[in-house]
Amino acid sequence: MTQEIHIEQFDNGLMLLAEPMPWLESAAFTFLVPAGCSRDPRGRSGLAGFTCEMVQRGAGTRDSRQFIEDLEMLGVDGSASVSNAHTSFSGAMPAENLEETLSIYADVVLRPHLDEEEFEDSRLVCLQEVRALEDDFAQKVMLELRRRRYPDPYGRSSQGTEESLHAIEMDDIRRFFPAFYQPRGFILGVAGKLDWPRLRQRVAQLFGGWRPAPPPEIIETPITGGYHHIPHETSQTHIGVAYPSVSYADEDYFQARGAVGILSDGMSSRLFTEIREKRGLCYSVYASCHSLQDRGSVVCYAGTTTDRAQETLDVLLHELVRLSSGIEPDELHRLKARIKSVLIMQQESSMSRSGAIASDWYFLRRARTLEEIGRIVDGLTQDSINRYLASHPPQDFTVVTLGDKQLETALAVP
Amino acid sequence: MQFRDHRLPNGLEIIAECNPDAYSAAIGFFVNTGSRDENPELAGVSHFLEHMAFKGTPTRTAADVNRELDEIGSHANAFTSEEQTVYYAAVLPEWQGRAVDILSDILRPSLRDDDFELEKQVILEEIAKYDDQPPFGAGEKCMAMHFGSHPLGQSVLGTADSVGALTPALMREYFERRYSPANIALVAAGNVDFDALVADARQRCGDWPCLPVQRNMAPVSASLGFEVISRATAAQQYVVQIADGPAIEDKDRYAGRLLATILGDESGSRFFWELVDTGLAECASITPYEFQRAGVFMTFLCCAPEDTEQNLERMYDILHEAERHGVTDAELTRAKSKVCSQVVLQGERPSNRLFSVGGSWIARREYRTVRDAVESYRAVTVAQIHELIRQYSLTRCTTVAVGPLPDLNPGRFAPPRT
């Protein structure tokens, strides 16, 4: 695994990271625009998402239809989404079309029309998403869990509410766009078959003249935490549990990630074994790391029929607490084998590498090669993870359930 | 890239697309069996059996199987469809031998009684999970109505009742009938040592008894219908429609995929511009599904209940217009570009190639490279698309709606009176 990651910071603050993968025929890009939903103003939640919808409806010389048709002709498999910190645009394509694709997306982030005629349709699209979420119980639980686990604005979801979306006006978009679609904090990750000097030059042409703006400060409110039940007539009770952990930027991150791997990576992991294999309580059960820049969480999900929900929550919490008594060497051995194959298989995907290097820069102000991650993983030991768990035992649980019946959470709420 | 194949004396076929430059290898047993091969009293047995394979063999417990698959760092799983049950693992090349060892072993499961009862609970949870999830069973209900008594109308998961009534003896009988080596292919893609693969298969699968296997290939005669299932607690209305389409053997399946892209892809299609871009619907799409000697176009709509009738009328107009006037050169060119790019990008991963190579082999005994597929798409003409849409009228379909609406006017989608 020898790799090279090129990094260039432009005068206006824009970061370009590129990882050549000459064995592939494809290339992929990830734009991280510092316009996440944590920037939605009070009473206007969903504004970042609304703006993301608007900028794709006509930009530069293209109208909404030409934008999509040109991407189709270039064979771009693209997507856009809004997270707490970023609005991101990403896509993979045959490598020869990379430069042209980047120039189309440069228009999107620099020169969108923000056409008033597209405004009401965009609002309807955002409202559809809010309504569809009402029927997605698992996602609903996990979004509510995050809202309670973090202080606002870090816990919010990007969709907004019917009420807040109705309150948004064209002027809100016109204010939001120049404030947050800007080069300071903008990260562009590119991976695949690429020519670095050419790419750097092209990106300089496309984005070099972009003017930075000072980002406003974010004001936090306190955490809600505790246990919250959402009553709903359902077949299953959907259970979400979260507890504090460290950020991806923390030097202990891989200790935390290793511990979660013991809980949830693979079919011999503890949650799968104890909850599904030994007791048959669930079809879906998992735990994963969630990271913000300066803090993190472990989030867990289990879906189970109502009369077995209490037992499921009890076993889940028991396994989380039991983790602090330590992990076994053979568990770590298996985890390392799994992580190693994930790392090597990432070399088959330009899309996953372009996203990884862009995200690395956001968290670390540098990018890790797969080789470096491989060395960190090799360095994990039973002792190092157990030491981490002793100083960071799973506790202070935030619990959200959705279903017919509220559950008892003696362990969860102190 | 090299294609290799070999057949053991008991009928087990071994095929591989070997790419010595790949970083990984993907290996799978493709069993030519699924819900199509169940009679109603066995509904759900193929899928349940797929779960039971991971519950142990004469030499491995369930915990051993899970542990060993993780020890080799594999990404292993299995799935069941109407016509296939596939057990697979993506591994680093050095673990090929152990992956074959574990997968071939679980293809001869013990089906122990206590494991059976425990795993039944997991299956019932899986059924409950899908019951809570959009489109709340509309897809399965629509397949059942469209295919009528034909076995393709049977649900892969089965129902809580049918799964509840299954016994280890019934499953064992089904296993013996369907898991004959003549009905299975061992498939590999990526950085594969083919000679070692054949040698391992000979040693581990060579003594599997070969029994004759057949599939019910009765022709389908679709019955059209329109049904509304009220679900007061849902926020959105979900509509699934099924029309006939090309089968997996049909040459015009490539034209079928392009047609579905032009009319109903999630982005840039006629449905998209009329219904999704305008915010009238959360989703409006068309997906083709191909089976042996049968195929369908499945249309999906999700929108606010009060907009459903009008949206269905808009969809009818789009389909009807395409039947009358076909599609344009520009639309076809864009659809080809989009679909071919997806085929090439997906083909970069051995774990994706495994499913294309294996699926094609067990359905058609045919190996096609990524380039073959791209050329087939490139060769489709506007005239062929128009011919296809006349042959498979998408407006002649079965409709199932699930959501808060107690009733829904079928409008022009009303099935003809019989």
Short mmCIF file of all heavy atoms in Angstrom, two decimals, chain A residues 25-26 57 65 69 72-73 75 128 135 137 235-236 238 267-268 277 280 283 304-305 308 334 337-338 341 345 348, chain B residues 24 66-67 70-71 73-74 118 125-126 129 131-132 134 235-236 238 273 277 279-280 282 334 337-338 341 345 348-349:
data_model
loop_
_atom_site.label_atom_id
_atom_site.label_comp_id
_atom_site.label_asym_id
_atom_site.label_seq_id
_atom_site.Cartn_x
_atom_site.Cartn_y
_atom_site.Cartn_z
N GLU A 25 -10.06 3.22 -13.53
CA GLU A 25 -10.51 3.97 -14.72
C GLU A 25 -11.37 5.16 -14.29
O GLU A 25 -11.74 5.99 -15.09
CB GLU A 25 -11.34 3.07 -15.64
CG GLU A 25 -10.56 1.96 -16.30
CD GLU A 25 -9.35 2.49 -17.08
OE1 GLU A 25 -9.51 3.49 -17.80
OE2 GLU A 25 -8.25 1.92 -16.92
N SER A 26 -11.73 5.21 -13.01
CA SER A 26 -12.66 6.23 -12.54
C SER A 26 -11.93 7.31 -11.75
O SER A 26 -10.77 7.18 -11.38
CB SER A 26 -13.69 5.60 -11.61
OG SER A 26 -13.06 5.17 -10.42
N ARG A 57 -30.38 24.22 -8.98
CA ARG A 57 -31.43 24.54 -9.96
C ARG A 57 -31.01 25.71 -10.83
O ARG A 57 -31.67 26.74 -10.86
CB ARG A 57 -32.74 24.84 -9.22
CG ARG A 57 -33.32 23.60 -8.60
CD ARG A 57 -34.46 23.94 -7.67
NE ARG A 57 -35.09 22.72 -7.21
CZ ARG A 57 -36.26 22.25 -7.69
NH1 ARG A 57 -36.92 22.91 -8.60
NH2 ARG A 57 -36.74 21.13 -7.22
N ARG A 65 -32.28 22.07 -15.91
CA ARG A 65 -32.34 20.88 -16.75
C ARG A 65 -30.99 20.59 -17.41
O ARG A 65 -30.52 19.44 -17.42
CB ARG A 65 -33.43 21.05 -17.81
CG ARG A 65 -33.76 19.79 -18.56
CD ARG A 65 -34.91 20.01 -19.52
NE ARG A 65 -36.22 19.90 -18.90
CZ ARG A 65 -36.94 18.78 -18.87
NH1 ARG A 65 -36.47 17.67 -19.39
NH2 ARG A 65 -38.13 18.76 -18.32
N GLU A 69 -28.69 17.21 -17.27
CA GLU A 69 -28.42 16.52 -18.54
C GLU A 69 -26.92 16.46 -18.84
O GLU A 69 -26.41 15.45 -19.33
CB GLU A 69 -29.18 17.22 -19.68
CG GLU A 69 -30.68 17.00 -19.53
CD GLU A 69 -31.51 17.58 -20.68
OE1 GLU A 69 -30.93 18.27 -21.55
OE2 GLU A 69 -32.72 17.33 -20.69
N GLU A 72 -25.36 13.79 -16.80
CA GLU A 72 -25.68 12.46 -17.35
C GLU A 72 -24.76 12.14 -18.52
O GLU A 72 -24.24 11.03 -18.63
CB GLU A 72 -27.14 12.42 -17.81
CG GLU A 72 -28.12 12.40 -16.66
CD GLU A 72 -29.57 12.37 -17.11
OE1 GLU A 72 -29.87 12.81 -18.24
OE2 GLU A 72 -30.41 11.90 -16.33
N MET A 73 -24.55 13.11 -19.39
CA MET A 73 -23.68 12.87 -20.55
C MET A 73 -22.25 12.57 -20.12
O MET A 73 -21.53 11.84 -20.79
CB MET A 73 -23.68 14.09 -21.49
CG MET A 73 -24.89 14.17 -22.41
SD MET A 73 -25.22 12.63 -23.28
CE MET A 73 -23.79 12.52 -24.35
N GLY A 75 -21.54 10.95 -17.49
CA GLY A 75 -21.56 9.71 -16.72
C GLY A 75 -21.27 9.92 -15.24
O GLY A 75 -20.67 9.07 -14.59
N GLN A 128 -41.39 17.39 1.22
CA GLN A 128 -41.55 15.95 0.95
C GLN A 128 -40.61 15.14 1.84
O GLN A 128 -40.99 14.11 2.39
CB GLN A 128 -41.22 15.64 -0.51
CG GLN A 128 -42.22 16.16 -1.52
CD GLN A 128 -43.52 15.38 -1.52
OE1 GLN A 128 -43.67 14.39 -0.82
NE2 GLN A 128 -44.48 15.85 -2.29
N ASP A 135 -42.38 8.50 8.27
CA ASP A 135 -42.65 7.07 8.09
C ASP A 135 -41.39 6.21 8.27
O ASP A 135 -41.44 4.99 8.12
CB ASP A 135 -43.23 6.81 6.69
CG ASP A 135 -44.67 7.29 6.57
OD1 ASP A 135 -45.35 7.39 7.61
OD2 ASP A 135 -45.12 7.54 5.44
N PHE A 137 -39.17 5.07 10.87
CA PHE A 137 -39.07 5.08 12.33
C PHE A 137 -37.63 4.96 12.82
O PHE A 137 -37.24 5.60 13.78
CB PHE A 137 -39.92 3.96 12.93
CG PHE A 137 -41.34 3.98 12.45
CD1 PHE A 137 -41.97 2.82 12.04
CD2 PHE A 137 -42.05 5.18 12.39
CE1 PHE A 137 -43.28 2.84 11.59
CE2 PHE A 137 -43.36 5.21 11.94
CZ PHE A 137 -43.98 4.03 11.53
N SER A 235 -45.06 -2.16 14.58
CA SER A 235 -44.83 -3.58 14.82
C SER A 235 -43.64 -3.76 15.75
O SER A 235 -43.62 -4.61 16.63
CB SER A 235 -44.53 -4.32 13.52
OG SER A 235 -45.64 -4.24 12.66
N GLN A 236 -42.61 -2.96 15.50
CA GLN A 236 -41.40 -3.07 16.32
C GLN A 236 -41.26 -1.83 17.19
O GLN A 236 -41.77 -0.76 16.86
CB GLN A 236 -40.16 -3.15 15.43
CG GLN A 236 -39.98 -4.51 14.75
CD GLN A 236 -38.58 -4.63 14.15
OE1 GLN A 236 -38.08 -3.73 13.51
NE2 GLN A 236 -37.96 -5.79 14.36
N HIS A 238 -38.43 0.73 18.23
CA HIS A 238 -37.13 1.13 17.69
C HIS A 238 -36.35 1.82 18.82
O HIS A 238 -36.85 2.77 19.42
CB HIS A 238 -37.33 2.04 16.49
CG HIS A 238 -38.12 1.38 15.40
ND1 HIS A 238 -37.56 0.73 14.33
CD2 HIS A 238 -39.47 1.20 15.26
CE1 HIS A 238 -38.51 0.21 13.57
NE2 HIS A 238 -39.68 0.48 14.11
N MET A 267 -19.88 -10.60 12.39
CA MET A 267 -20.93 -11.46 12.95
C MET A 267 -20.53 -12.11 14.28
O MET A 267 -21.36 -12.72 14.93
CB MET A 267 -21.30 -12.52 11.92
CG MET A 267 -22.00 -11.91 10.71
SD MET A 267 -22.68 -13.13 9.61
CE MET A 267 -21.21 -13.68 8.78
N SER A 268 -19.24 -11.99 14.64
CA SER A 268 -18.85 -12.53 15.95
C SER A 268 -18.74 -11.41 16.98
O SER A 268 -18.24 -11.63 18.08
CB SER A 268 -17.53 -13.29 15.84
OG SER A 268 -16.48 -12.40 15.46
N GLU A 277 -27.80 -13.63 17.99
CA GLU A 277 -27.49 -15.06 17.88
C GLU A 277 -27.93 -15.87 19.10
O GLU A 277 -28.49 -16.95 18.95
CB GLU A 277 -25.98 -15.25 17.64
CG GLU A 277 -25.49 -14.69 16.31
CD GLU A 277 -26.03 -15.45 15.10
OE1 GLU A 277 -27.11 -15.08 14.63
OE2 GLU A 277 -25.37 -16.41 14.65
N GLY A 280 -32.02 -14.25 19.84
CA GLY A 280 -32.98 -14.07 18.74
C GLY A 280 -33.89 -12.87 18.91
O GLY A 280 -35.02 -12.86 18.46
N TYR A 283 -33.45 -8.46 14.42
CA TYR A 283 -32.80 -8.67 13.13
C TYR A 283 -31.68 -7.64 12.98
O TYR A 283 -30.56 -7.97 12.63
CB TYR A 283 -33.82 -8.53 12.00
CG TYR A 283 -33.19 -8.63 10.63
CD1 TYR A 283 -32.73 -9.86 10.16
CD2 TYR A 283 -33.03 -7.50 9.84
CE1 TYR A 283 -32.12 -9.95 8.93
CE2 TYR A 283 -32.42 -7.60 8.59
CZ TYR A 283 -31.97 -8.83 8.15
OH TYR A 283 -31.37 -8.92 6.92
N THR A 304 -36.94 -4.21 17.57
CA THR A 304 -37.46 -5.48 18.07
C THR A 304 -38.95 -5.37 18.38
O THR A 304 -39.43 -4.27 18.68
CB THR A 304 -36.69 -5.90 19.35
OG1 THR A 304 -37.21 -7.13 19.82
CG2 THR A 304 -36.84 -4.86 20.44
N THR A 305 -39.67 -6.49 18.29
CA THR A 305 -41.11 -6.40 18.55
C THR A 305 -41.37 -5.99 20.00
O THR A 305 -40.57 -6.25 20.89
CB THR A 305 -41.82 -7.74 18.26
OG1 THR A 305 -40.97 -8.79 18.70
CG2 THR A 305 -42.08 -7.91 16.78
N ARG A 308 -40.70 -7.76 23.35
CA ARG A 308 -39.32 -8.16 23.65
C ARG A 308 -38.39 -6.94 23.75
O ARG A 308 -37.18 -7.06 23.90
CB ARG A 308 -38.82 -9.11 22.57
CG ARG A 308 -39.85 -10.25 22.36
CD ARG A 308 -39.27 -11.47 21.81
NE ARG A 308 -38.79 -11.31 20.47
CZ ARG A 308 -37.95 -12.17 19.91
NH1 ARG A 308 -37.47 -13.18 20.60
NH2 ARG A 308 -37.57 -12.00 18.67
N ARG A 334 -9.49 -10.58 15.54
CA ARG A 334 -10.48 -10.62 14.46
C ARG A 334 -10.78 -9.22 13.93
O ARG A 334 -10.89 -9.00 12.73
CB ARG A 334 -11.79 -11.25 14.96
CG ARG A 334 -11.69 -12.72 15.25
CD ARG A 334 -13.07 -13.37 15.33
NE ARG A 334 -13.89 -12.84 16.41
CZ ARG A 334 -13.84 -13.28 17.66
NH1 ARG A 334 -13.00 -14.24 18.01
NH2 ARG A 334 -14.64 -12.75 18.59
N ALA A 337 -8.12 -8.05 11.57
CA ALA A 337 -8.23 -8.70 10.24
C ALA A 337 -9.30 -8.01 9.41
O ALA A 337 -9.12 -7.76 8.21
CB ALA A 337 -8.54 -10.18 10.40
N ARG A 338 -10.42 -7.68 10.05
CA ARG A 338 -11.51 -7.01 9.31
C ARG A 338 -11.10 -5.62 8.86
O ARG A 338 -11.34 -5.23 7.72
CB ARG A 338 -12.77 -6.91 10.19
CG ARG A 338 -13.53 -8.21 10.30
CD ARG A 338 -14.79 -8.01 11.13
NE ARG A 338 -15.65 -6.99 10.54
CZ ARG A 338 -16.54 -7.24 9.58
NH1 ARG A 338 -16.66 -8.46 9.11
NH2 ARG A 338 -17.29 -6.28 9.11
N SER A 341 -8.73 -5.65 5.88
CA SER A 341 -9.32 -5.88 4.56
C SER A 341 -10.14 -4.67 4.10
O SER A 341 -10.16 -4.35 2.93
CB SER A 341 -10.09 -7.20 4.48
OG SER A 341 -11.22 -7.17 5.29
N MET A 345 -9.40 -2.87 0.59
CA MET A 345 -10.48 -2.79 -0.41
C MET A 345 -10.86 -1.34 -0.73
O MET A 345 -11.45 -1.08 -1.77
CB MET A 345 -11.70 -3.59 0.05
CG MET A 345 -11.44 -5.09 -0.01
SD MET A 345 -12.88 -6.02 0.53
CE MET A 345 -12.15 -7.59 0.97
N GLU A 348 -10.06 0.01 -4.07
CA GLU A 348 -10.88 -0.31 -5.24
C GLU A 348 -11.92 0.78 -5.49
O GLU A 348 -12.69 0.68 -6.43
CB GLU A 348 -11.60 -1.64 -5.00
CG GLU A 348 -10.64 -2.82 -4.92
CD GLU A 348 -11.29 -4.07 -4.33
OE1 GLU A 348 -12.37 -3.96 -3.73
OE2 GLU A 348 -10.68 -5.14 -4.48
N SER B 24 -8.62 -7.61 -4.15
CA SER B 24 -9.38 -8.56 -3.34
C SER B 24 -9.98 -9.64 -4.24
O SER B 24 -9.92 -9.56 -5.46
CB SER B 24 -10.50 -7.84 -2.59
OG SER B 24 -11.46 -7.34 -3.50
N ASN B 66 -19.45 -17.76 12.54
CA ASN B 66 -19.30 -16.30 12.64
C ASN B 66 -17.86 -15.92 12.97
O ASN B 66 -17.30 -14.97 12.41
CB ASN B 66 -20.23 -15.74 13.72
CG ASN B 66 -21.69 -15.83 13.31
OD1 ASN B 66 -22.00 -15.95 12.13
ND2 ASN B 66 -22.57 -15.78 14.28
N ARG B 67 -17.28 -16.64 13.92
CA ARG B 67 -15.93 -16.31 14.35
C ARG B 67 -14.93 -16.49 13.21
O ARG B 67 -14.10 -15.63 12.93
CB ARG B 67 -15.54 -17.19 15.54
CG ARG B 67 -14.36 -16.64 16.33
CD ARG B 67 -13.82 -17.64 17.33
NE ARG B 67 -13.30 -18.83 16.63
CZ ARG B 67 -13.81 -20.04 16.74
NH1 ARG B 67 -14.85 -20.27 17.53
NH2 ARG B 67 -13.29 -21.05 16.06
N ASP B 70 -15.05 -13.89 10.51
CA ASP B 70 -14.41 -12.65 10.96
C ASP B 70 -12.89 -12.79 11.04
O ASP B 70 -12.17 -11.83 10.78
CB ASP B 70 -14.97 -12.22 12.33
CG ASP B 70 -16.36 -11.60 12.21
OD1 ASP B 70 -16.79 -11.33 11.07
OD2 ASP B 70 -17.00 -11.37 13.26
N GLU B 71 -12.42 -13.96 11.42
CA GLU B 71 -10.96 -14.17 11.54
C GLU B 71 -10.23 -13.91 10.24
O GLU B 71 -9.09 -13.45 10.23
CB GLU B 71 -10.65 -15.60 11.99
CG GLU B 71 -10.69 -15.78 13.48
CD GLU B 71 -10.65 -17.25 13.90
OE1 GLU B 71 -10.54 -18.15 13.01
OE2 GLU B 71 -10.74 -17.50 15.10
N GLY B 73 -11.15 -11.75 8.16
CA GLY B 73 -11.43 -10.36 7.77
C GLY B 73 -12.42 -10.25 6.62
O GLY B 73 -12.42 -9.27 5.88
N SER B 74 -13.27 -11.26 6.49
CA SER B 74 -14.14 -11.28 5.31
C SER B 74 -15.35 -10.37 5.50
O SER B 74 -15.77 -10.09 6.62
CB SER B 74 -14.65 -12.70 5.06
OG SER B 74 -15.58 -13.06 6.05
N LEU B 118 -34.72 -20.77 17.56
CA LEU B 118 -34.13 -19.47 17.89
C LEU B 118 -34.08 -18.56 16.66
O LEU B 118 -34.44 -17.38 16.71
CB LEU B 118 -32.72 -19.69 18.46
CG LEU B 118 -32.02 -18.48 19.05
CD1 LEU B 118 -32.81 -17.93 20.23
CD2 LEU B 118 -30.61 -18.84 19.50
N GLU B 125 -38.66 -11.21 13.52
CA GLU B 125 -38.26 -9.81 13.71
C GLU B 125 -38.01 -9.13 12.37
O GLU B 125 -38.32 -7.96 12.18
CB GLU B 125 -37.01 -9.71 14.59
CG GLU B 125 -37.24 -10.01 16.07
CD GLU B 125 -38.18 -9.02 16.74
OE1 GLU B 125 -38.38 -7.90 16.23
OE2 GLU B 125 -38.74 -9.38 17.80
N GLU B 126 -37.43 -9.87 11.44
CA GLU B 126 -37.17 -9.29 10.12
C GLU B 126 -38.49 -8.96 9.42
O GLU B 126 -38.64 -7.91 8.80
CB GLU B 126 -36.32 -10.26 9.27
CG GLU B 126 -35.74 -9.62 8.02
CD GLU B 126 -34.83 -10.56 7.23
OE1 GLU B 126 -34.56 -11.70 7.70
OE2 GLU B 126 -34.39 -10.16 6.14
N LYS B 129 -39.84 -5.92 10.99
CA LYS B 129 -39.06 -4.74 10.58
C LYS B 129 -39.59 -4.21 9.24
O LYS B 129 -39.81 -3.01 9.10
CB LYS B 129 -37.59 -5.15 10.45
CG LYS B 129 -36.67 -4.14 9.80
CD LYS B 129 -35.30 -4.82 9.54
CE LYS B 129 -34.66 -4.35 8.27
NZ LYS B 129 -33.77 -3.21 8.45
N ASP B 131 -42.48 -4.70 8.03
CA ASP B 131 -43.86 -4.26 8.22
C ASP B 131 -43.91 -2.80 8.68
O ASP B 131 -44.88 -2.09 8.42
CB ASP B 131 -44.52 -5.18 9.26
CG ASP B 131 -46.00 -4.94 9.35
OD1 ASP B 131 -46.63 -4.86 8.27
OD2 ASP B 131 -46.53 -4.81 10.46
N ASP B 132 -42.83 -2.35 9.35
CA ASP B 132 -42.76 -0.97 9.84
C ASP B 132 -42.15 -0.02 8.83
O ASP B 132 -41.94 1.14 9.12
CB ASP B 132 -41.86 -0.92 11.09
CG ASP B 132 -42.65 -1.07 12.37
OD1 ASP B 132 -43.88 -1.21 12.30
OD2 ASP B 132 -42.03 -1.06 13.45
N PRO B 134 -41.60 1.78 4.97
CA PRO B 134 -42.23 2.05 3.67
C PRO B 134 -41.65 1.14 2.59
O PRO B 134 -40.46 0.85 2.67
CB PRO B 134 -41.85 3.50 3.39
CG PRO B 134 -41.52 4.09 4.72
CD PRO B 134 -40.98 2.97 5.54
N ALA B 235 -47.76 8.60 7.17
CA ALA B 235 -47.81 10.03 6.83
C ALA B 235 -47.99 10.20 5.32
O ALA B 235 -48.77 11.04 4.88
CB ALA B 235 -46.54 10.73 7.30
N GLN B 236 -47.27 9.43 4.54
CA GLN B 236 -47.31 9.55 3.08
C GLN B 236 -48.14 8.41 2.47
O GLN B 236 -48.37 7.38 3.11
CB GLN B 236 -45.88 9.45 2.51
CG GLN B 236 -44.96 10.59 2.93
CD GLN B 236 -45.08 11.82 2.04
OE1 GLN B 236 -46.06 12.54 2.12
NE2 GLN B 236 -44.09 12.08 1.22
N TYR B 238 -48.15 5.52 -0.46
CA TYR B 238 -47.20 4.76 -1.26
C TYR B 238 -47.95 3.95 -2.30
O TYR B 238 -48.92 3.27 -1.97
CB TYR B 238 -46.38 3.82 -0.36
CG TYR B 238 -45.62 4.58 0.70
CD1 TYR B 238 -46.20 4.89 1.93
CD2 TYR B 238 -44.33 5.05 0.45
CE1 TYR B 238 -45.52 5.64 2.88
CE2 TYR B 238 -43.65 5.80 1.39
CZ TYR B 238 -44.25 6.09 2.61
OH TYR B 238 -43.56 6.83 3.53
N TRP B 273 -38.68 15.05 -13.80
CA TRP B 273 -38.96 16.46 -14.11
C TRP B 273 -40.40 16.84 -13.81
O TRP B 273 -40.67 17.93 -13.33
CB TRP B 273 -38.62 16.76 -15.58
CG TRP B 273 -37.14 16.74 -15.82
CD1 TRP B 273 -36.44 15.85 -16.57
CD2 TRP B 273 -36.16 17.64 -15.26
NE1 TRP B 273 -35.09 16.13 -16.53
CE2 TRP B 273 -34.90 17.23 -15.74
CE3 TRP B 273 -36.23 18.74 -14.41
CZ2 TRP B 273 -33.70 17.88 -15.39
CZ3 TRP B 273 -35.06 19.40 -14.07
CH2 TRP B 273 -33.82 18.97 -14.56
N ASP B 277 -38.86 16.88 -9.27
CA ASP B 277 -38.24 18.20 -9.31
C ASP B 277 -39.22 19.29 -8.89
O ASP B 277 -38.85 20.30 -8.31
CB ASP B 277 -37.73 18.46 -10.74
CG ASP B 277 -37.02 19.79 -10.86
OD1 ASP B 277 -35.94 19.93 -10.26
OD2 ASP B 277 -37.55 20.69 -11.55
N GLY B 279 -41.56 18.89 -6.72
CA GLY B 279 -41.99 18.70 -5.34
C GLY B 279 -43.39 18.12 -5.20
O GLY B 279 -43.96 18.10 -4.11
N LEU B 280 -43.95 17.61 -6.30
CA LEU B 280 -45.28 17.00 -6.21
C LEU B 280 -45.21 15.62 -5.57
O LEU B 280 -46.19 15.13 -5.01
CB LEU B 280 -45.89 16.87 -7.61
CG LEU B 280 -46.24 18.19 -8.32
CD1 LEU B 280 -46.56 17.94 -9.78
CD2 LEU B 280 -47.41 18.86 -7.60
N GLU B 282 -42.40 12.76 -3.39
CA GLU B 282 -41.09 12.55 -2.78
C GLU B 282 -40.26 11.66 -3.69
O GLU B 282 -39.06 11.83 -3.83
CB GLU B 282 -41.29 11.88 -1.42
CG GLU B 282 -40.14 12.11 -0.45
CD GLU B 282 -39.20 10.93 -0.32
OE1 GLU B 282 -39.66 9.78 -0.47
OE2 GLU B 282 -38.01 11.17 -0.08
N ARG B 334 -28.36 10.13 -23.55
CA ARG B 334 -28.04 10.42 -22.14
C ARG B 334 -28.21 9.18 -21.26
O ARG B 334 -27.40 8.90 -20.38
CB ARG B 334 -28.95 11.54 -21.61
CG ARG B 334 -28.55 12.93 -22.03
CD ARG B 334 -29.21 13.97 -21.15
NE ARG B 334 -30.67 13.88 -21.17
CZ ARG B 334 -31.43 14.46 -22.10
NH1 ARG B 334 -30.88 15.17 -23.05
NH2 ARG B 334 -32.75 14.33 -22.06
N SER B 337 -25.30 6.87 -21.70
CA SER B 337 -24.12 7.40 -21.06
C SER B 337 -24.18 7.16 -19.54
O SER B 337 -23.22 6.72 -18.92
CB SER B 337 -24.04 8.89 -21.37
OG SER B 337 -23.03 9.49 -20.65
N LYS B 338 -25.33 7.42 -18.97
CA LYS B 338 -25.51 7.24 -17.52
C LYS B 338 -25.39 5.77 -17.11
O LYS B 338 -24.64 5.43 -16.20
CB LYS B 338 -26.89 7.80 -17.15
CG LYS B 338 -27.21 7.74 -15.70
CD LYS B 338 -28.24 8.77 -15.25
CE LYS B 338 -29.60 8.67 -15.89
NZ LYS B 338 -30.59 9.57 -15.25
N SER B 341 -21.81 4.26 -17.69
CA SER B 341 -20.86 4.73 -16.68
C SER B 341 -21.07 3.98 -15.36
O SER B 341 -20.11 3.57 -14.71
CB SER B 341 -21.07 6.24 -16.48
OG SER B 341 -20.33 6.69 -15.38
N LEU B 345 -18.21 1.82 -13.50
CA LEU B 345 -17.77 2.18 -12.15
C LEU B 345 -18.00 1.03 -11.16
O LEU B 345 -17.15 0.71 -10.35
CB LEU B 345 -18.50 3.44 -11.65
CG LEU B 345 -18.22 4.75 -12.39
CD1 LEU B 345 -18.94 5.91 -11.72
CD2 LEU B 345 -16.74 5.06 -12.47
N GLU B 348 -15.51 -1.89 -11.07
CA GLU B 348 -14.17 -1.75 -10.48
C GLU B 348 -14.01 -2.58 -9.22
O GLU B 348 -12.90 -2.82 -8.78
CB GLU B 348 -13.87 -0.27 -10.19
CG GLU B 348 -13.59 0.50 -11.47
CD GLU B 348 -13.09 1.94 -11.25
OE1 GLU B 348 -13.43 2.56 -10.22
OE2 GLU B 348 -12.37 2.43 -12.12
N ARG B 349 -15.10 -2.99 -8.59
CA ARG B 349 -14.99 -3.78 -7.36
C ARG B 349 -15.32 -5.24 -7.64
O ARG B 349 -16.42 -5.55 -8.11
CB ARG B 349 -15.97 -3.27 -6.30
CG ARG B 349 -15.75 -1.84 -5.88
CD ARG B 349 -16.35 -1.58 -4.52
NE ARG B 349 -15.29 -1.54 -3.54
CZ ARG B 349 -15.28 -0.75 -2.46
NH1 ARG B 349 -16.29 0.02 -2.20
NH2 ARG B 349 -14.27 -0.78 -1.63
#
